[in-house]
Amino acid sequence: MNQLDRIYQHSLSDREGFWAEAADEIDWQAPWNKVLDTSGAPHFYRWFEGARCNTCYNAVDRHVEQGRGDQAALIYDSPITNQQKTLSYSELKDKVAHCAGMMRALGIEKGDRVLIYMPMIPQAAVAMLACARLGAIHSVVFGGFAAHELATRIKDATPRLILTASCGIEPGRVIPYQPLIEDALKEAPGIVENIVVTQREQAAWDLTAGRDHDWKAGMEQAEPAECVSVTATDPLYILYTSGTTGQPKGVMRDNGGHMVALKWSMKHVYDMEPGEVYWAASDVGWVVGHSYIVYAPLLHGCTTVLFEGKPVGTPDAGTFWRVIAEHKVKALFTAPTAFRAIKKEDPDGKLIGQYDLSHFKTLFLAGERCDPDTLNWAQEKLGVPVIDHWWQTETGWAMAANCMGIEPLPIIPGSPTRAVPGYEIQVLDHDGHEVKRGEMGAICVKLPLPPGCLPTLWKADQRFIDAYLSEYPGYYQTGDAGYMDENGYVFVMARTDDIINVAGHRLSTGAMEEVLASHPDVAECAVIGAADSLKGQLPLGFLVLKSGVARDDADIISEVVALVRKQIGPVAAFKKATVVQRLPKTRSGKILRGTMRAIADGTDWKMPATIDDPAILDEIKERLQSIGYAQN
Ligand code: COA
Ligand code: AMP
């Protein structure tokens, strides 16, 4: 048996032994009672029950104590503001301790929730680590979400404090955060007591006395706070992610299992050693940012890069190569869409040759299906292995990957390779039986999930069971469909629910439909994810107007486009919709979104046997053609 198979088998045949060994890499304040607490089975499992620890201590303080104080912990590289700044582990510790002290002075204690709404600036990472230091539970909200999404999260997580900045910066525009937060607080009143603001020079926040506090002044006045002892199973953070409705799911992460899994992954999945430079070009608002901009690289004693920019346009498609060369990045992790954007601007990869990429060893891609063209292009132009790996907000780290630190396997474009140790992946049919290799089914993970994965949803145990565990008893349902080949390679082909992936961002078409349906002229609607050569998918809306509405279709369409941008945010990238007489449905009234998607994409489709009126599809096709879809 080869090394990888041996490790994989061990991770399943002796789960507790395997993860107890991995847990030696973490500094614990008190040992666990049980490696895996199964008392809540068959739904709830807890790793390292009873152990005491602190995530911030392991990510920051212990490296200073062990001699890494002068090593760069975090490199802030912001082509959008033309700034760079490096924080050593000692400097990071100092900032995080002061930030924790500042929060404590505002009454924040272990278990309190703190909402973080920040652009990609070092204060965002400092804020997250400071929460971990106090045992406070952070809930980071991505800057591209609008006021209503913020309000939804405020109502669910009930944070006493918001840590924010005066603005975010997108190419060509500054986004002041104050109006967004004020609107959110109007929608979710009486919850947030204090707001701490990092003032940026591009926009000022007008501080409200008694509620708002200046970050800089607060940091200067603060008494540094020490790490608070928490249990391994205490929550570290909540991260909201799209579900099937407008109510996002609050994915909960614990402290102990999370540290063990992330630290293990840095060596075994990403082949990183302490002291090396790791760069996840994502955003702290997404799970990739939580796990691989902040926690994993720091837990492993690496240098992490926090990049405020875009793959193209800040200033050009060579930015990624500049960052890799300048900071001697060994591994880059981003979404395929970033590479599609670069390939479009610089198809021959001419800019790559202008930089010294000799330290660069591996490119990791995730967040959406990686099309073989993009993978092959990147591999050919960069001359390094390109590793597609598959995971989701819920798991917090890779379920399937080519484990570069164990034994690299042959790369098959279109597949994120095999199940990672700890994950028993099976592809199931409707009855919950494993399908034959090569056949499509629901991709599931046999329980218990390894450490690091969600133990439950925030204050929603029943929703956790309903959403992930009930359909296939004994398994975690990933929501992805696909197949496994004879060699155990996983192929992730589609979602089984209404989640779409736009530029590597996970969005719910159900949430967009709720917004469209709220327009006074709309009787019925549907949103699908149509294929897009740059962003993977783009949302596309179908509107049926109420009878008697005599307004211009174009006006209604621009109003619903504006409404989605206002309610969900620019990140929804909802720009196209069409008005139709009726929606295609089955005889039982189910909207045939899959058929509409196939028509829009111009792929093969069969007339559904259950359709109530096939003639509707002709109108759908015609309408789609008029806005540039359904070209085949
Ligand atoms: N704050 C405010 N607005 C934001 C934002 C933020 N943090 N992030 C994105 N937006 C806005 C964009 O400006 C854009 O606005 P527009 O409609 O006015 O143009 C809109 O949201 C859609 O953003 P996006 O889908 O990201 O498109 P883009 O054209 O700005 O950039 C890419 C396209 C491919 C360059 C970009 O998506 C990218 O870099 N992706 C990398 C992948 C990634 O980070 N994935 C995360 C998971 S790994
Ligand atoms: P998120 O929770 O935002 O990370 O999105 C997770 C979802 O993105 C998964 O459930 C998949 O649908 C998709 N996804 C992530 N990585 C991959 C990948 N490597 N291949 C195919 N789909 C992926």
Side-chain angles (χ1 to χ4, degrees):
M1 200 186 277
N2 65 30
Q3 164 98 330
L4 178 63
D5 289 340
R6 195 178 50 71
I7 292 179
Y8 184 71
Q9 289 308 330
H10 178 203
S11 78
L12 300 187
S13 61
D14 175 20
R15 292 177 200 262
E16 295 194 64
F18 182 87
W19 290 111
E21 202 178 295
D24 281 346
E25 294 277 314
I26 297 300
D27 278 2
W28 303 92
Q29 294 158 346
W32 47 84
N33 301 321
K34 278 189 181 151
V35 179
L36 179 63
D37 172 13
T38 57
S39 58
H43 299 129
F44 301 103
Y45 297 87
R46 296 285 184 270
W47 287 96
F48 307 108
E49 184 272 319
R52 299 203 72 89
C53 57
N54 184 284
T55 295
C56 180
Y57 175 79
N58 276 278
V60 183
D61 300 51
R62 76 157 166 171
H63 300 308
V64 178
E65 289 168 18
Q66 291 170 4
R68 289 192 184 279
D70 293 334
Q71 182 199 307
L74 185 149
I75 299 172
Y76 168 56
D77 188 307
S78 171
I80 207 149
T81 61
N82 273 321
Q83 281 184 78
Q84 278 194 23
K85 190 174 179 171
T86 299
L87 291 178
S88 67
Y89 269 101
S90 293
E91 289 165 331
L92 182 62
K93 179 183 166 198
D94 187 59
K95 287 208 184 301
V96 171
H98 277 85
C99 181
M102 171 169 72
M103 290 199 283
R104 181 174 278 163
L106 293 170
I108 297 301
E109 292 171 14
K110 177 173 176 284
D112 285 338
R113 272 79 60 210
V114 175
L115 188 136
I116 300 175
Y117 188 65
M118 286 229 185
M120 286 290 287
I121 54 177
Q123 287 87 338
V126 168
M128 291 164 75
L129 292 161
C131 289
R133 194 171 190 85
L134 291 182
I137 303 164
H138 61 69
S139 164
V140 183
V141 181
F142 176 62
F145 283 122
H148 172 71
E149 293 290 320
L150 262 168
T152 309
R153 287 153 174 80
I154 292 171
K155 282 187 204 156
D156 197 67
T158 59
R160 298 178 60 197
L161 172 67
I162 294 183
L163 300 175
T164 187
S166 58
C167 64
I169 306 169
E170 283 293 289
R173 73 180 200 278
V174 170
I175 298 134
Y177 281 1
Q178 184 158 18
L180 295 168
I181 292 189
E182 300 286 4
D183 279 356
L185 295 182
K186 274 187 212 132
E187 203 181 320
I191 298 168
V192 175
E193 295 158 20
N194 291 289
I195 303 180
V196 179
V197 185
T198 294
Q199 297 278 16
R200 303 187 82 187
E201 64 184 46
Q202 293 79 2
W205 177 298
D206 185 15
L207 300 177
T208 301
R211 185 197 68 179
D212 301 350
H213 312 268
D214 177 63
W215 174 286
K216 197 155 167 269
M219 290 285 277
E220 277 161 15
Q221 288 153 15
E223 284 291 320
E226 287 312 306
C227 295
V228 167
S229 173
V230 301
T231 69
T233 49
D234 279 333
L236 171 70
Y237 70 74
I238 309 164
L239 177 56
Y240 288 89
T241 190
S242 302
T244 44
T245 64
Q247 180 66 34
K249 294 171 176 158
V251 168
M252 219 184 84
R253 198 81 61 209
D254 66 12
N255 276 275
H258 179 242
M259 284 196 279
V260 172
L262 290 191
K263 177 90 171 71
W264 185 91
S265 74
M266 283 303 282
K267 168 83 189 108
H268 297 89
V269 177
Y270 299 101
D271 194 27
M272 293 295 297
E273 296 297 336
E276 293 176 335
V277 184
Y278 185 87
W279 176 24
S282 176
D283 188 288
V284 287
W286 305 115
V287 70
V288 176
H290 280 63
S291 294
Y292 291 105
I293 296 175
V294 181
Y295 288 112
L298 296 177
L299 285 166
H300 202 46
C302 290
T303 299
T304 185
V305 179
L306 192 120
F307 173 75
E308 189 183 26
K310 302 269 174 179
V312 293
T314 58
D316 58 28
T319 303
F320 272 25
W321 325 134
R322 175 192 62 75
V323 173
I324 291 174
E326 238 170 77
H327 307 306
K328 301 188 169 51
V329 170
K330 181 180 175 193
L332 166 64
F333 176 173
T334 191
T337 191
F339 268 76
R340 287 196 295 268
I342 294 170
K343 182 173 139 205
K344 198 169 157 209
E345 295 265 309
D346 182 18
D348 299 324
K350 288 205 183 86
L351 294 169
I352 298 173
Q354 296 178 10
Y355 297 93
D356 171 12
L357 303 188
S358 54
H359 288 84
F360 186 44
K361 297 287 175 263
T362 322
L363 170 64
F364 293 91
L365 297 175
E368 57 176 325
R369 183 172 158 72
C370 182
D371 52 293
D373 272 359
T374 303
L375 188 139
N376 290 332
W377 182 86
Q379 203 149 252
E380 187 200 315
K381 300 294 177 219
L382 289 168
V384 299
V386 178
I387 307 302
D388 177 14
H389 60 325
W390 168 66
W391 52 296
Q392 46 186 200
T393 307
E394 288 84 346
T395 63
W397 64 292
M399 289 183 279
N402 202 335
C403 288
M404 297 306 280
I406 302 178
E407 192 175 295
L409 294 174
I411 291 169
I412 301 183
S415 167
T417 319
R418 281 170 31 182
V420 168
Y423 289 95
E424 193 169 351
I425 296 179
Q426 292 185 13
V427 180
L428 306 180
D429 65 17
H430 283 304
D431 300 326
H433 300 122
E434 222 178 335
V435 298
K436 286 202 201 87
R437 293 292 167 108
E439 278 178 19
M440 285 278 284
I443 313 181
C444 297
V445 184
K446 195 148 190 245
L447 296 174
L449 292 168
C453 298
L454 80 171
T456 187
L457 293 173
W458 175 251
K459 295 217 162 127
D461 284 346
Q462 192 56 46
R463 190 174 180 200
F464 171 67
I465 296 172
D466 295 344
Y468 302 108
L469 309 178
S470 357
E471 199 160 339
Y472 300 98
Y475 292 85
Y476 165 79
Q477 182 185 4
T478 65
D480 284 314
Y483 63 95
M484 208 187 262
D485 77 4
E486 289 299 330
N487 299 315
Y489 276 59
V490 178
F491 291 77
V492 183
M493 306 308 289
R495 289 286 307 187
T496 54
D497 53 17
D498 67 357
I499 283 169
I500 57 169
N501 218 306
V502 180
H505 308 139
R506 170 169 161 181
L507 298 163
S508 157
T509 54
M512 292 186 219
E513 288 177 3
E514 283 178 26
V515 177
L516 300 192
S518 73
H519 188 284
D521 295 339
V522 173
E524 231 187 340
C525 63
V527 175
I528 60 161
D532 180 77
S533 60
L534 176 64
K535 297 194 181 185
Q537 286 183 305
L538 271 181
L540 175 60
F542 297 85
L543 310 171
V544 178
L545 302 184
K546 287 184 181 158
S547 64
V549 173
R551 299 180 57 211
D552 207 352
D553 288 358
D555 290 341
I556 297 172
I557 289 171
S558 59
E559 283 165 17
V560 297
V561 166
L563 205 57
V564 174
R565 194 172 173 96
K566 181 158 188 297
Q567 292 276 313
I568 298 178
V571 69
F574 181 83
K575 304 224 161 128
K576 281 200 171 174
T578 183
V579 172
V580 293
Q581 294 302 316
R582 278 176 302 156
L583 293 171
K585 290 186 187 168
T586 61
R587 275 176 229 117
S588 59
K590 214 170 153 236
I591 299 174
L592 290 160
R593 292 183 182 76
T595 310
M596 292 199 281
R597 196 171 61 229
I599 296 175
D601 294 349
T603 53
D604 289 343
W605 58 277
K606 275 201 207 111
M607 181 64 69
T610 54
I611 191 164
D612 66 345
D613 179 3
I616 298 176
L617 295 179
D618 295 333
E619 190 212 353
I620 296 280
K621 187 166 180 186
E622 209 174 285
R623 288 302 176 112
L624 285 171
Q625 281 172 336
S626 71
I627 54 169
Y629 291 92
Q631 296 305 322
N632 292 344

